């Protein structure tokens, strides 16, 4: 799926037949199996993301493929292995591709294909935010907005497996009871709407669990300011998205009297910073795959779409209140 200029998908995206590149000595020929449509993929096509691929570009930053053939200098991969992108900008919305070995990460092929296809962005983001900003112990709690997003669903499950309680904020919507039920089934401890953050009932939640030391923000605007009020003094709020397209507003008192820390996180940057540190990448992937194998981490709610129906998939991915991730089957 190719775009030759930036603009609104699906209008600027087209399905094209291209010759696969020649296999170099350090290259790997991959047959793609499945690739999701993430918000960042849409933003890259629109030309509004922090990093853009040189045009013309193949869409998609995430997915899983099977190795068909390897160049003669490739040692870590062999035909039949499953691989996911090691960096962004790989262009995963394609049936086949030839990529340099260092752009791929091997993953076990005994995990479900949808878990592998959605592994490199959202679960990694969730894992790092839970691990890198506050030292959380079983019984501690975390509060997050956009709790039904791909990252939100991963945070709920990874936290649950570690004995950490989650307070999950979602926007009010027509099918709210259904969404609450789904998040509780994943292991959420509490699900509240943005409006409830302002209500006295929040005090009841903190009778049974401690106030959170960590807040994860993917929205911005009012939702974030309200969430911050429930953080413990010296707590940390990590912003990793801005779905409301509004700034993060923080009262001065939160800094002076409660010494709040505001941090940011971008998985792409973390990968760049850890290019030479393959150990930390491997241990994260290993931990996530173990959770998947034990049934503690599942793929987000997905809708599987054949590649030729990409227009419908792109349109569905851009609708508000989407609770299902579009996955292209390749």
């Amino acid at each position: 799926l190719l775009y030759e200029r930036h603009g609104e998908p699906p209008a600027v995206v087209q399905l094209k037949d291209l010759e696969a590149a020649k296999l170099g000595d350090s290259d790997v020929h991959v047959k793609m199996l499945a690739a999701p449509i993430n918000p960042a993929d849409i933003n890259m096509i629109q030309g509004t993301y922090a990093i853009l691929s040189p045009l013309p570009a193949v869409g998609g930053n995430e997915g899983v493929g099977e190795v068909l053939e390897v160049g003669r200098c490739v040692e870590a991969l062999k035909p039949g292995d499953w691989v996911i992108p090691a960096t962004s900008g790989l262009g995963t919305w394609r049936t086949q591709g030839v990529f340099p070995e260092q752009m791929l990460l091997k993953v076990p092929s005994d995990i479900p294909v949808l878990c592998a296809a959605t592994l490199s962005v959202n679960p990694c983001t969730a894992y790092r935010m839970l691990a890198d900003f506050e030292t959380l112990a079983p019984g501690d709690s975390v509060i997050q907005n956009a709790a039904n997003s791909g990252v939100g669903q991963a945070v709920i499950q990874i936290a649950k497996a570690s004995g950490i309680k989650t307070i999950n904020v979602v926007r009010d919507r027509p099918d709210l009871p259904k969404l609450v039920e789904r998040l509780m089934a994943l292991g959420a401890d509490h699900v509240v709407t943005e409006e409830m953050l302002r209500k006295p009932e929040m005090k009841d939640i903190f009778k049974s669990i401690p106030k959170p030391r960590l807040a994860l923000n993917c929205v911005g605007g009012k939702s974030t300011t309200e969430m911050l009020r429930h953080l413990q003094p010296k707590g940390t709020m990590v912003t990793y998205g801005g779905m409301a397209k509004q700034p993060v507003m923080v009262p001065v008192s939160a800094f002076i009297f409660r010494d709040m820390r505001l941090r940011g996180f971008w998985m792409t940057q973390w990968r760049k910073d850890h290019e030479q540190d393959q150990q930390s990448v491997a241990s994260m992937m290993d931990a996530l795959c173990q959770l998947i194998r034990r049934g503690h981490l599942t793929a987000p709610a997905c809708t599987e779409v054949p590649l030729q129906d990409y227009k419908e998939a792109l349109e569905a991915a851009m609708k508000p209140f989407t609770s299902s991730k579009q996955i292209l089957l390749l």
Side-chain angles (χ1 to χ4, degrees), residues 232-308:
Q232 275 189 37
K234 290 188 164 32
T236 304
M237 184 171 77
V238 183
T239 293
Y240 69 98
M243 282 164 29
K245 296 188 166 58
Q246 289 167 347
V248 170
M249 307 286 270
V250 180
V252 171
S253 59
F255 286 123
I256 300 173
F257 304 120
R258 293 168 61 219
D259 190 16
M260 290 303 182
R261 290 141 219 263
L262 265 62
R263 302 283 305 273
F265 183 76
W266 187 31
M267 195 63 218
T268 303
Q269 188 61 47
W270 187 91
R271 286 191 195 287
K272 275 204 188 86
D273 295 345
H274 292 78
E275 268 169 357
Q276 303 312 312
D277 177 11
Q278 281 313 302
Q279 190 44 51
S280 59
V281 178
S283 68
M284 168 173 69
M285 286 309 190
D286 192 45
L288 291 169
C289 289
Q290 291 289 0
L291 287 172
I292 292 168
R293 282 199 196 95
R294 292 192 201 118
H296 293 166
L297 179 62
T298 55
C302 290
T303 305
E304 300 172 49
V305 185
L307 181 62
Q308 58 270 28

Side-chain angles (χ1 to χ4, degrees), residues 43-82:
N43 297 149
M44 282 176 87
I45 296 167
Q46 290 165 331
T48 58
Y49 202 58
I51 48 165
L52 299 174
S53 301
L55 298 174
V58 176
N61 289 289
E62 189 180 33
V64 63
E66 183 184 330
V67 175
L68 293 178
E69 197 186 347
V70 298
R72 60 191 183 87
C73 299
V74 174
E75 286 173 6
L77 295 169
K78 60 183 188 310
D81 283 348
W82 278 15

Side-chain angles (χ1 to χ4, degrees), residues 14-68:
Q14 47 186 320
L15 193 53
K16 272 205 163 162
D17 274 330
L18 301 173
E19 283 285 307
K22 275 220 165 1
L23 188 73
D25 288 350
S26 305
D27 289 342
V28 180
H29 184 188
V30 177
K31 169 183 182 285
M32 293 303 297
L33 302 172
I37 299 176
N38 289 319
D41 304 330
I42 304 280
N43 297 149
M44 282 176 87
I45 296 167
Q46 290 165 331
T48 58
Y49 202 58
I51 48 165
L52 299 174
S53 301
L55 298 174
V58 176
N61 289 289
E62 189 180 33
V64 63
E66 183 184 330
V67 175
L68 293 178

